[in-house]
Coordinates of all heavy atoms in Angstrom, one line a residue:
M21 N -8.3 -17.6 32.4 CA -8.1 -17.3 31.0 C -6.6 -17.1 30.7 O -5.9 -16.4 31.3 CB -8.8 -16.0 30.6 CG -8.7 -15.6 29.2 SD -9.7 -14.2 28.9 CE -10.1 -14.3 27.3
A22 N -6.1 -17.9 29.8 CA -4.6 -18.0 29.5 C -4.3 -17.2 28.3 O -5.1 -17.0 27.4 CB -4.3 -19.5 29.3
I23 N -3.1 -16.6 28.4 CA -2.6 -15.8 27.3 C -1.9 -16.7 26.3 O -1.1 -17.5 26.7 CB -1.7 -14.7 27.8 CG1 -2.4 -13.7 28.8 CG2 -1.0 -13.9 26.7 CD1 -1.5 -12.7 29.4
R24 N -2.1 -16.6 25.1 CA -1.5 -17.3 24.1 C -0.3 -16.6 23.6 O -0.5 -15.6 22.8 CB -2.5 -17.7 23.0 CG -3.6 -18.6 23.5 CD -4.4 -19.1 22.4 NE -5.4 -20.0 22.8 CZ -6.3 -20.6 22.0 NH1 -6.2 -20.4 20.8 NH2 -7.1 -21.4 22.5
F25 N 0.9 -17.1 23.8 CA 2.1 -16.4 23.3 C 2.4 -16.8 21.8 O 3.2 -16.1 21.2 CB 3.3 -16.8 24.2 CG 3.3 -16.2 25.5 CD1 2.9 -16.9 26.7 CD2 3.5 -14.8 25.7 CE1 2.9 -16.3 27.9 CE2 3.4 -14.2 26.9 CZ 3.1 -14.9 28.0
Q26 N 1.7 -17.8 21.3 CA 2.0 -18.1 20.0 C 1.6 -17.1 19.0 O 2.2 -16.9 18.0 CB 1.3 -19.4 19.6 CG 1.6 -20.6 20.5 CD 0.4 -21.5 20.8 OE1 -0.6 -20.9 21.0 NE2 0.6 -22.7 20.8
R27 N 0.6 -16.3 19.3 CA 0.2 -15.2 18.5 C 1.0 -13.9 18.5 O 0.8 -13.1 17.7 CB -1.3 -14.9 18.8 CG -2.2 -16.0 18.5 CD -3.6 -15.7 18.6 NE -4.5 -16.9 18.5 CZ -5.7 -16.9 18.4 NH1 -6.4 -15.7 18.4 NH2 -6.4 -18.0 18.2
I28 N 1.8 -13.8 19.5 CA 2.6 -12.6 19.7 C 3.7 -12.7 18.6 O 4.0 -11.6 18.0 CB 3.2 -12.5 21.1 CG1 2.1 -12.2 22.0 CG2 4.2 -11.4 21.1 CD1 2.5 -12.2 23.5
I29 N 4.3 -13.8 18.4 CA 5.4 -13.8 17.5 C 5.0 -13.5 16.0 O 5.6 -12.7 15.4 CB 6.2 -15.2 17.6 CG1 6.8 -15.3 18.9 CG2 7.2 -15.4 16.5 CD1 7.4 -16.7 19.2
P30 N 3.9 -14.2 15.5 CA 3.4 -13.8 14.2 C 3.2 -12.3 14.1 O 3.3 -11.7 13.0 CB 2.3 -14.7 13.9 CG 2.6 -15.9 14.8 CD 3.2 -15.2 16.0
A31 N 2.5 -11.8 15.1 CA 2.2 -10.3 15.1 C 3.4 -9.5 14.9 O 3.4 -8.5 14.1 CB 1.4 -10.0 16.4
K32 N 4.4 -9.8 15.6 CA 5.7 -9.1 15.5 C 6.3 -9.1 14.0 O 6.7 -8.2 13.5 CB 6.7 -9.5 16.4 CG 6.6 -9.1 17.8 CD 7.7 -9.5 18.8 CE 7.4 -9.1 20.2 NZ 8.5 -9.5 21.1
Q33 N 6.1 -10.3 13.4 CA 6.7 -10.5 12.1 C 5.8 -9.7 11.1 O 6.3 -9.0 10.2 CB 6.6 -12.0 11.8 CG 7.7 -12.8 12.5 CD 7.5 -14.3 12.2 OE1 6.5 -14.8 11.6 NE2 8.5 -15.1 12.7
I34 N 4.5 -9.6 11.3 CA 3.7 -8.9 10.4 C 4.0 -7.4 10.6 O 4.1 -6.7 9.5 CB 2.2 -9.1 10.8 CG1 1.8 -10.6 10.4 CG2 1.2 -8.1 10.1 CD1 0.5 -11.0 10.9
L35 N 4.2 -6.9 11.8 CA 4.6 -5.5 12.0 C 5.8 -5.2 11.3 O 6.0 -4.1 10.7 CB 4.6 -5.1 13.5 CG 3.3 -5.0 14.2 CD1 3.5 -4.8 15.7 CD2 2.5 -3.9 13.6
K36 N 6.8 -6.0 11.3 CA 8.2 -5.8 10.6 C 7.9 -5.6 9.2 O 8.6 -4.9 8.5 CB 9.1 -6.9 10.9 CG 9.7 -6.9 12.3 CD 10.7 -8.0 12.5 CE 11.2 -8.0 13.9 NZ 12.2 -9.0 14.1
R37 N 7.0 -6.4 8.6 CA 6.7 -6.3 7.1 C 5.9 -5.0 6.8 O 6.2 -4.4 5.7 CB 5.8 -7.5 6.7 CG 6.6 -8.8 6.7 CD 5.8 -9.9 6.1 NE 6.2 -11.1 6.6 CZ 5.5 -12.2 6.8 NH1 4.2 -12.1 6.7 NH2 6.1 -13.2 7.3
I38 N 5.1 -4.6 7.7 CA 4.2 -3.4 7.4 C 5.0 -2.1 7.7 O 4.9 -1.2 6.9 CB 2.9 -3.5 8.3 CG1 2.0 -4.7 7.9 CG2 2.2 -2.1 8.2 CD1 0.9 -4.9 8.8
L39 N 5.7 -2.0 8.8 CA 6.3 -0.8 9.1 C 7.5 -0.5 8.2 O 8.3 -1.5 7.9 CB 6.8 -0.9 10.6 CG 5.7 -1.0 11.7 CD1 6.4 -1.2 13.0 CD2 4.8 0.3 11.6
P40 N 7.7 0.7 7.8 CA 8.8 1.0 6.9 C 10.1 0.9 7.5 O 10.3 1.2 8.7 CB 8.5 2.5 6.5 CG 7.7 3.1 7.6 CD 6.9 1.9 8.1
S41 N 11.0 0.4 6.7 CA 12.5 0.4 7.2 C 13.0 1.8 7.1 O 12.5 2.7 6.5 CB 13.3 -0.5 6.4 OG 13.4 0.0 5.1
P42 N 14.1 2.1 7.9 CA 14.6 3.4 7.9 C 15.0 3.9 6.5 O 14.8 5.0 6.1 CB 15.9 3.4 8.8 CG 15.6 2.2 9.6 CD 14.8 1.2 8.8
E43 N 15.5 3.0 5.6 CA 15.9 3.3 4.2 C 14.6 3.7 3.4 O 14.7 4.7 2.7 CB 16.7 2.2 3.6 CG 17.2 2.5 2.3 CD 18.2 1.5 1.8 OE1 19.3 1.5 2.1 OE2 17.7 0.7 1.0
S44 N 13.5 2.9 3.6 CA 12.4 3.3 2.8 C 11.7 4.5 3.3 O 10.9 5.1 2.6 CB 11.4 2.1 2.8 OG 10.9 1.8 4.1
A45 N 11.9 4.9 4.5 CA 11.3 6.2 5.0 C 11.8 7.3 4.4 O 11.3 8.4 4.4 CB 11.5 6.1 6.6
N46 N 13.0 7.2 3.7 CA 13.6 8.4 3.0 C 13.1 8.6 1.7 O 13.7 9.4 0.9 CB 15.2 8.2 3.1 CG 15.8 8.2 4.5 OD1 15.2 8.8 5.3 ND2 16.9 7.5 4.6
V47 N 12.1 8.0 1.3 CA 11.6 8.1 -0.1 C 10.4 9.1 0.0 O 9.4 8.9 0.6 CB 11.1 6.7 -0.7 CG1 10.5 6.9 -2.0 CG2 12.2 5.7 -0.7
P48 N 10.5 10.3 -0.7 CA 9.4 11.2 -0.7 C 8.2 10.7 -1.5 O 8.4 9.8 -2.3 CB 10.1 12.4 -1.5 CG 11.5 12.1 -1.8 CD 11.7 10.7 -1.5
K49 N 7.1 11.3 -1.2 CA 5.8 10.9 -1.7 C 5.9 11.1 -3.3 O 6.5 12.2 -3.7 CB 4.7 11.7 -1.2 CG 3.3 11.3 -1.6 CD 2.3 12.1 -0.9 CE 0.9 11.5 -1.4 NZ -0.1 12.2 -0.5
G50 N 5.5 10.2 -4.0 CA 5.6 10.3 -5.5 C 6.8 9.9 -6.1 O 7.1 10.1 -7.3
H51 N 7.6 9.2 -5.3 CA 8.9 8.6 -5.8 C 9.0 7.2 -5.4 O 8.3 6.7 -4.7 CB 10.1 9.4 -5.2 CG 10.3 10.8 -5.6 ND1 9.3 11.8 -5.3 CD2 11.1 11.4 -6.4 CE1 9.7 13.0 -5.9 NE2 10.7 12.7 -6.5
V52 N 10.1 6.5 -6.1 CA 10.3 5.1 -5.9 C 11.7 4.8 -5.9 O 12.4 5.4 -6.6 CB 9.5 4.2 -6.9 CG1 10.0 4.5 -8.3 CG2 9.5 2.8 -6.6
P53 N 12.2 3.9 -5.0 CA 13.7 3.6 -5.0 C 13.9 2.6 -6.0 O 13.2 1.7 -6.3 CB 13.9 3.1 -3.5 CG 12.6 2.5 -3.1 CD 11.6 3.4 -3.8
V54 N 15.1 2.7 -6.8 CA 15.5 1.7 -7.7 C 17.0 1.5 -7.4 O 17.7 2.4 -7.0 CB 15.3 2.2 -9.1 CG1 13.8 2.3 -9.5 CG2 16.0 3.4 -9.5
Y55 N 17.4 0.2 -7.7 CA 18.8 -0.2 -7.5 C 19.3 -0.4 -8.9 O 18.8 -1.2 -9.7 CB 18.9 -1.4 -6.6 CG 18.4 -1.1 -5.2 CD1 17.0 -1.2 -4.9 CD2 19.3 -0.7 -4.3 CE1 16.6 -0.9 -3.6 CE2 18.9 -0.3 -3.0 CZ 17.5 -0.5 -2.6 OH 17.0 -0.1 -1.4
V56 N 20.4 0.2 -9.2 CA 21.0 0.2 -10.6 C 22.4 -0.2 -10.5 O 23.2 0.2 -9.7 CB 21.0 1.6 -11.2 CG1 21.5 1.7 -12.6 CG2 19.5 2.2 -11.2
G57 N 22.8 -1.1 -11.5 CA 24.1 -1.5 -11.7 C 24.2 -2.9 -12.2 O 23.2 -3.7 -12.1
E58 N 25.3 -3.3 -12.8 CA 25.5 -4.6 -13.3 C 26.0 -5.6 -12.2 O 25.5 -6.7 -12.2 CB 26.4 -4.7 -14.5 CG 25.7 -3.9 -15.7 CD 26.7 -3.7 -16.9 OE1 27.9 -3.5 -16.7 OE2 26.2 -3.7 -18.0
T59 N 26.9 -5.1 -11.5 CA 27.5 -6.0 -10.4 C 27.1 -5.3 -9.1 O 26.4 -6.0 -8.2 CB 29.0 -6.2 -10.5 OG1 29.6 -4.9 -10.6 CG2 29.4 -7.0 -11.8
Q60 N 27.7 -4.2 -8.8 CA 27.4 -3.5 -7.6 C 26.2 -2.6 -7.8 O 26.3 -1.7 -8.6 CB 28.6 -2.8 -7.0 CG 28.4 -2.2 -5.6 CD 29.7 -1.6 -5.1 OE1 30.7 -1.8 -5.7 NE2 29.7 -0.9 -4.0
K61 N 25.2 -2.7 -6.9 CA 24.0 -1.9 -7.0 C 24.1 -0.5 -6.3 O 24.5 -0.6 -5.1 CB 22.7 -2.6 -6.7 CG 22.7 -4.0 -7.3 CD 22.3 -4.0 -8.7 CE 22.1 -5.4 -9.2 NZ 22.7 -5.7 -10.5
K62 N 23.6 0.5 -6.9 CA 23.6 1.8 -6.3 C 22.1 2.3 -6.3 O 21.3 2.1 -7.2 CB 24.4 2.8 -7.0 CG 24.4 4.2 -6.4 CD 25.3 5.2 -7.0 CE 25.3 6.5 -6.3 NZ 26.2 7.4 -7.0
R63 N 21.6 2.8 -5.1 CA 20.3 3.1 -4.9 C 20.0 4.5 -5.4 O 20.7 5.5 -5.1 CB 19.9 3.1 -3.4 CG 18.5 3.4 -3.1 CD 18.3 3.1 -1.5 NE 17.0 3.2 -1.2 CZ 16.3 4.3 -0.6 NH1 17.1 5.4 -0.4 NH2 15.1 4.3 -0.3
F64 N 18.9 4.7 -6.2 CA 18.5 6.0 -6.6 C 17.0 6.1 -6.3 O 16.3 5.1 -6.2 CB 18.6 6.1 -8.2 CG 19.9 6.2 -8.7 CD1 20.6 5.0 -9.0 CD2 20.6 7.4 -8.9 CE1 21.9 4.9 -9.5 CE2 22.0 7.4 -9.4 CZ 22.6 6.2 -9.7
V65 N 16.6 7.3 -6.1 CA 15.1 7.6 -5.8 C 14.7 8.5 -7.0 O 15.2 9.6 -7.2 CB 15.0 8.4 -4.5 CG1 13.4 8.7 -4.3 CG2 15.5 7.5 -3.3
I66 N 13.7 8.0 -7.7 CA 13.2 8.6 -8.9 C 11.7 8.9 -8.9 O 11.0 8.2 -8.0 CB 13.5 7.7 -10.1 CG1 12.8 6.5 -10.1 CG2 15.0 7.6 -10.4 CD1 12.7 5.6 -11.4
P67 N 11.2 9.9 -9.6 CA 9.8 10.2 -9.6 C 9.0 9.1 -10.3 O 9.5 8.4 -11.2 CB 9.7 11.5 -10.5 CG 11.1 12.0 -10.5 CD 12.0 11.0 -10.4
I68 N 7.9 8.8 -9.8 CA 7.0 7.7 -10.3 C 6.7 8.0 -11.8 O 6.6 7.0 -12.6 CB 5.7 7.6 -9.5 CG1 6.1 7.0 -8.1 CG2 4.7 6.7 -10.2 CD1 4.9 6.9 -7.2
S69 N 6.7 9.2 -12.3 CA 6.4 9.5 -13.7 C 7.4 8.9 -14.6 O 7.0 8.7 -15.8 CB 6.3 11.1 -13.8 OG 7.6 11.6 -13.5
Y70 N 8.6 8.7 -14.2 CA 9.6 8.0 -15.0 C 9.2 6.6 -15.5 O 9.6 6.2 -16.5 CB 11.0 7.9 -14.4 CG 11.7 9.2 -14.2 CD1 11.2 10.4 -14.4 CD2 13.0 9.2 -13.7 CE1 11.9 11.6 -14.3 CE2 13.8 10.3 -13.5 CZ 13.2 11.5 -13.7 OH 14.0 12.7 -13.6
L71 N 8.3 6.0 -14.6 CA 8.0 4.6 -14.9 C 7.1 4.4 -16.2 O 7.0 3.3 -16.7 CB 7.2 4.0 -13.7 CG 8.1 4.0 -12.4 CD1 7.2 3.4 -11.3 CD2 9.3 3.1 -12.5
K72 N 6.5 5.5 -16.7 CA 5.7 5.3 -17.9 C 6.4 5.8 -19.1 O 5.8 5.7 -20.2 CB 4.3 6.1 -17.7 CG 4.5 7.6 -17.5 CD 3.2 8.2 -17.3 CE 3.4 9.7 -17.1 NZ 2.1 10.4 -16.8
H73 N 7.6 6.2 -19.1 CA 8.3 6.7 -20.2 C 8.8 5.5 -21.0 O 9.3 4.5 -20.4 CB 9.6 7.6 -19.8 CG 10.2 8.3 -20.9 ND1 11.1 7.7 -21.6 CD2 10.1 9.6 -21.4 CE1 11.5 8.5 -22.6 NE2 10.9 9.7 -22.4
P74 N 8.8 5.5 -22.4 CA 9.2 4.3 -23.1 C 10.5 3.8 -22.9 O 10.9 2.6 -22.9 CB 9.0 4.8 -24.6 CG 8.0 5.9 -24.5 CD 8.2 6.6 -23.2
S75 N 11.5 4.7 -22.7 CA 12.9 4.3 -22.5 C 13.0 3.6 -21.2 O 13.8 2.6 -21.0 CB 13.8 5.5 -22.6 OG 13.8 6.1 -23.7
F76 N 12.3 4.1 -20.2 CA 12.4 3.5 -18.9 C 11.7 2.2 -18.9 O 12.1 1.2 -18.2 CB 11.8 4.5 -17.8 CG 12.3 4.2 -16.4 CD1 13.5 4.7 -16.0 CD2 11.6 3.3 -15.6 CE1 14.0 4.3 -14.7 CE2 12.1 3.0 -14.3 CZ 13.3 3.6 -13.9
L77 N 10.6 2.1 -19.6 CA 9.8 0.8 -19.8 C 10.7 -0.3 -20.4 O 10.5 -1.4 -20.0 CB 8.5 1.0 -20.6 CG 7.4 1.8 -19.9 CD1 6.3 2.1 -20.9 CD2 6.8 1.1 -18.7
N78 N 11.6 0.1 -21.2 CA 12.5 -0.8 -21.8 C 13.5 -1.4 -20.7 O 13.7 -2.6 -20.6 CB 13.3 -0.1 -22.9 CG 14.2 -1.1 -23.7 OD1 13.9 -2.3 -23.8 ND2 15.4 -0.6 -24.1
L79 N 14.0 -0.5 -19.8 CA 14.8 -1.0 -18.7 C 13.9 -1.9 -17.8 O 14.5 -2.9 -17.3 CB 15.3 0.2 -17.9 CG 16.4 1.1 -18.5 CD1 16.8 2.2 -17.7 CD2 17.6 0.1 -18.8
L80 N 12.7 -1.5 -17.5 CA 11.9 -2.4 -16.7 C 11.6 -3.7 -17.3 O 11.7 -4.8 -16.6 CB 10.6 -1.6 -16.4 CG 10.6 -0.4 -15.5 CD1 9.3 0.1 -15.4 CD2 11.2 -0.8 -14.1
S81 N 11.5 -3.8 -18.6 CA 11.3 -5.0 -19.3 C 12.6 -6.0 -19.2 O 12.5 -7.2 -18.9 CB 11.1 -4.8 -20.8 OG 11.0 -6.0 -21.5
K82 N 13.8 -5.3 -19.2 CA 15.0 -6.1 -19.0 C 15.1 -6.6 -17.6 O 15.6 -7.7 -17.3 CB 16.2 -5.2 -19.4 CG 16.4 -5.0 -20.9 CD 17.6 -4.1 -21.2 CE 17.7 -3.8 -22.6 NZ 18.7 -2.9 -22.9
A83 N 14.7 -5.8 -16.6 CA 14.7 -6.1 -15.2 C 13.8 -7.3 -15.0 O 14.1 -8.2 -14.2 CB 14.3 -5.0 -14.4
E84 N 12.6 -7.3 -15.7 CA 11.7 -8.4 -15.5 C 12.2 -9.7 -16.1 O 12.1 -10.8 -15.5 CB 10.3 -8.1 -16.2 CG 9.3 -9.2 -16.1 CD 8.1 -8.9 -17.0 OE1 8.1 -8.0 -17.8 OE2 7.1 -9.6 -16.7
E85 N 12.9 -9.6 -17.2 CA 13.6 -10.8 -17.8 C 14.6 -11.4 -16.9 O 14.7 -12.6 -16.7 CB 14.3 -10.4 -19.1 CG 13.3 -10.2 -20.3 CD 14.0 -9.6 -21.5 OE1 15.3 -9.8 -21.6 OE2 13.3 -9.2 -22.4
E86 N 15.4 -10.5 -16.2 CA 16.5 -11.0 -15.4 C 16.0 -11.4 -13.9 O 16.5 -12.4 -13.4 CB 17.6 -10.0 -15.2 CG 18.8 -10.5 -14.4 CD 20.0 -9.6 -14.6 OE1 20.2 -9.1 -15.7 OE2 20.8 -9.5 -13.7
F87 N 15.1 -10.6 -13.3 CA 14.7 -10.9 -11.9 C 13.3 -11.4 -11.8 O 12.9 -11.8 -10.7 CB 14.9 -9.6 -11.1 CG 16.3 -9.1 -11.0 CD1 16.7 -8.0 -11.7 CD2 17.2 -9.8 -10.2 CE1 18.0 -7.5 -11.7 CE2 18.5 -9.3 -10.2 CZ 18.9 -8.2 -10.9
G88 N 12.5 -11.3 -12.8 CA 11.0 -11.6 -12.6 C 10.5 -10.6 -11.6 O 10.7 -9.5 -11.7
F89 N 9.7 -11.1 -10.7 CA 9.2 -10.2 -9.7 C 9.8 -10.3 -8.3 O 9.4 -9.8 -7.3 CB 7.7 -10.5 -9.5 CG 6.8 -10.2 -10.6 CD1 6.3 -11.2 -11.5 CD2 6.6 -8.9 -11.0 CE1 5.5 -10.9 -12.7 CE2 5.8 -8.6 -12.1 CZ 5.3 -9.6 -13.0
N90 N 11.0 -11.1 -8.3 CA 11.8 -11.3 -7.1 C 13.0 -10.2 -7.2 O 13.9 -10.4 -7.9 CB 12.3 -12.6 -7.0 CG 13.1 -12.9 -5.8 OD1 13.0 -12.1 -4.8 ND2 13.9 -13.9 -5.8
H91 N 12.8 -9.2 -6.4 CA 13.8 -8.1 -6.4 C 14.5 -8.2 -5.0 O 13.9 -7.8 -4.0 CB 13.3 -6.7 -6.6 CG 12.7 -6.6 -8.0 ND1 13.5 -6.2 -9.0 CD2 11.5 -6.8 -8.5 CE1 12.9 -6.2 -10.1 NE2 11.6 -6.5 -9.8
P92 N 15.7 -8.8 -4.8 CA 16.2 -9.2 -3.6 C 16.6 -8.0 -2.8 O 16.7 -8.1 -1.5 CB 17.5 -9.9 -4.0 CG 17.8 -9.6 -5.4 CD 16.5 -9.2 -6.0
L93 N 16.7 -6.7 -3.3 CA 17.1 -5.6 -2.5 C 15.9 -4.8 -1.9 O 16.1 -3.9 -1.3 CB 18.0 -4.6 -3.3 CG 19.3 -5.2 -3.8 CD1 19.9 -4.2 -4.7 CD2 20.1 -5.4 -2.6
G94 N 14.7 -5.3 -2.3 CA 13.5 -4.7 -1.8 C 12.9 -3.6 -2.6 O 11.8 -3.2 -2.4
G95 N 13.6 -3.1 -3.6 CA 13.1 -2.2 -4.6 C 13.3 -2.7 -6.0 O 13.8 -3.8 -6.2
L96 N 12.9 -1.9 -7.0 CA 13.1 -2.3 -8.3 C 14.6 -2.4 -8.6 O 15.4 -1.5 -8.2 CB 12.6 -1.3 -9.3 CG 11.1 -1.2 -9.4 CD1 10.7 0.0 -10.3 CD2 10.5 -2.5 -10.0
T97 N 15.1 -3.5 -9.2 CA 16.5 -3.7 -9.5 C 16.6 -3.6 -10.9 O 16.0 -4.4 -11.7 CB 17.0 -5.0 -8.9 OG1 16.6 -5.1 -7.6 CG2 18.5 -5.2 -9.2
I98 N 17.4 -2.7 -11.5 CA 17.6 -2.5 -12.9 C 19.0 -2.9 -13.3 O 20.0 -2.2 -12.9 CB 17.3 -1.1 -13.3 CG1 15.8 -0.7 -12.9 CG2 17.5 -0.8 -14.8 CD1 15.5 0.6 -13.1
P99 N 19.2 -3.9 -14.1 CA 20.5 -4.3 -14.5 C 21.1 -3.6 -15.7 O 21.0 -4.1 -16.8 CB 20.2 -5.9 -14.9 CG 18.9 -5.9 -15.4 CD 18.1 -4.8 -14.7
C100 N 21.6 -2.4 -15.5 CA 22.3 -1.7 -16.6 C 23.4 -0.9 -15.9 O 23.5 -0.8 -14.7 CB 21.3 -0.7 -17.2 SG 20.7 0.7 -16.3
R101 N 24.3 -0.3 -16.8 CA 25.3 0.5 -16.3 C 24.8 1.7 -15.6 O 23.8 2.3 -16.0 CB 26.3 0.8 -17.4 CG 27.1 -0.3 -18.0 CD 27.9 0.1 -19.1 NE 27.4 0.9 -20.1 CZ 27.7 2.1 -20.4 NH1 28.8 2.7 -19.9 NH2 27.1 2.8 -21.3
E102 N 25.4 2.1 -14.5 CA 25.0 3.3 -13.8 C 25.1 4.6 -14.6 O 24.1 5.4 -14.6 CB 25.9 3.5 -12.6 CG 25.5 4.5 -11.7 CD 26.4 4.7 -10.4 OE1 27.0 3.7 -10.0 OE2 26.6 5.8 -10.0
E103 N 26.0 4.7 -15.6 CA 26.2 5.9 -16.4 C 25.0 6.0 -17.3 O 24.5 7.1 -17.6 CB 27.5 5.8 -17.2 CG 28.7 5.8 -16.4 CD 29.1 4.5 -15.8 OE1 28.6 3.4 -16.3 OE2 29.9 4.4 -14.8
Y104 N 24.6 4.8 -17.9 CA 23.4 4.8 -18.8 C 22.2 5.3 -18.0 O 21.4 6.1 -18.6 CB 23.1 3.4 -19.4 CG 22.0 3.3 -20.2 CD1 22.0 3.8 -21.5 CD2 20.8 2.8 -19.7 CE1 20.8 3.8 -22.4 CE2 19.6 2.8 -20.6 CZ 19.7 3.2 -21.9 OH 18.6 3.2 -22.6
F105 N 22.0 4.8 -16.8 CA 20.8 5.2 -16.1 C 20.8 6.6 -15.7 O 19.7 7.3 -15.8 CB 20.7 4.3 -14.8 CG 19.5 4.7 -13.9 CD1 18.3 4.1 -14.2 CD2 19.7 5.5 -12.9 CE1 17.2 4.5 -13.5 CE2 18.5 5.8 -12.1 CZ 17.3 5.3 -12.4
T106 N 22.0 7.2 -15.3 CA 21.9 8.6 -15.0 C 21.7 9.5 -16.2 O 21.1 10.5 -16.0 CB 23.3 9.0 -14.3 OG1 24.4 8.6 -15.0 CG2 23.4 8.3 -12.9
D107 N 22.3 9.1 -17.4 CA 22.0 9.8 -18.5 C 20.6 9.8 -18.9 O 20.0 10.9 -19.3 CB 22.8 9.2 -19.8 CG 24.3 9.5 -19.7 OD1 24.7 10.4 -18.8 OD2 25.1 8.9 -20.4
L108 N 19.9 8.6 -18.7 CA 18.5 8.5 -19.0 C 17.7 9.4 -18.0 O 16.8 10.1 -18.5 CB 18.0 7.1 -18.9 CG 16.5 6.8 -19.0 CD1 16.0 7.2 -20.5 CD2 16.1 5.3 -18.9
A109 N 18.0 9.3 -16.8 CA 17.3 10.1 -15.7 C 17.4 11.6 -16.1 O 16.5 12.4 -15.8 CB 17.8 9.7 -14.4
C110 N 18.7 12.0 -16.4 CA 18.9 13.4 -16.7 C 18.0 13.9 -17.9 O 17.5 14.9 -17.9 CB 20.4 13.8 -17.0 SG 21.4 13.7 -15.5
S111 N 18.0 13.0 -18.9 CA 17.2 13.4 -20.1 C 15.7 13.4 -19.8 O 14.9 14.3 -20.3 CB 17.4 12.4 -21.3 OG 16.9 11.2 -21.0
L112 N 15.2 12.5 -18.9 CA 13.8 12.6 -18.5 C 13.5 13.7 -17.6 O 12.5 14.3 -17.7 CB 13.5 11.3 -17.8 CG 13.5 10.0 -18.6 CD1 13.2 8.8 -17.7 CD2 12.5 10.1 -19.7
N113 N 14.5 14.2 -16.7 CA 14.3 15.2 -15.9 C 14.3 16.6 -16.7 O 13.5 17.5 -16.4 CB 15.5 15.4 -14.9 CG 15.2 16.3 -13.8 OD1 14.0 16.5 -13.4 ND2 16.2 16.9 -13.3
C114 N 15.0 16.7 -17.8 CA 15.0 17.9 -18.7 C 13.8 18.0 -19.6 O 13.5 19.0 -20.1 CB 16.3 17.9 -19.5 SG 17.8 18.1 -18.6
S115 N 13.1 16.9 -19.9 CA 12.0 16.9 -20.8 C 10.7 17.2 -20.1 O 10.5 17.3 -19.0 CB 11.8 15.6 -21.6 OG 11.6 14.5 -20.7

């Protein structure tokens, strides 16, 4: 009985996709990472509850127009100024 090495390589590739990267392991339960910025992106971790707020939905709509479903950084990419995003996050956190 011969061992087939062709199946080992795809299995490793599948495991790399399934297993969390060290960066994604730092996301607490109930939160999602987002990358914000117009040119240089900064990573934020926000509560999932923000995703249903109308102001945040507007940002997601803009992100969909610019990126579609292809987010090159692996998380949601939001094309807005960092200051605007932090102001929005603070207002959502206070409400």
Side-chain angles (χ1 to χ4, degrees):
M21 182 176 205
I23 297 175
R24 293 186 176 184
F25 289 105
Q26 300 143 320
R27 294 187 185 190
I28 293 174
I29 295 171
K32 285 183 181 180
Q33 290 173 350
I34 291 169
L35 285 176
K36 285 181 183 178
R37 290 182 205 149
I38 294 172
L39 295 175
S41 67
E43 190 171 273
S44 66
N46 295 331
V47 178
K49 187 174 183 174
H51 290 71
V52 62
V54 295
Y55 295 89
V56 178
E58 293 174 326
T59 54
Q60 187 171 353
K61 309 292 186 221
K62 183 173 179 183
R63 183 176 188 260
F64 292 89
V65 178
I66 60 168
I68 291 176
S69 61
Y70 286 10
L71 299 177
K72 63 182 177 181
H73 192 277
S75 298
F76 204 85
L77 288 172
N78 186 31
L79 285 178
L80 291 177
S81 175
K82 290 179 183 178
E84 181 185 13
E85 288 174 11
E86 186 164 327
F87 297 105
F89 293 106
N90 182 21
H91 295 274
L93 296 173
L96 289 174
T97 306
I98 300 176
C100 72
R101 292 181 310 122
E102 186 180 328
E103 297 82 19
Y104 177 79
F105 180 81
T106 54
D107 289 345
L108 176 63
C110 286
S111 69
L112 293 176
N113 194 31
C114 294
S115 60

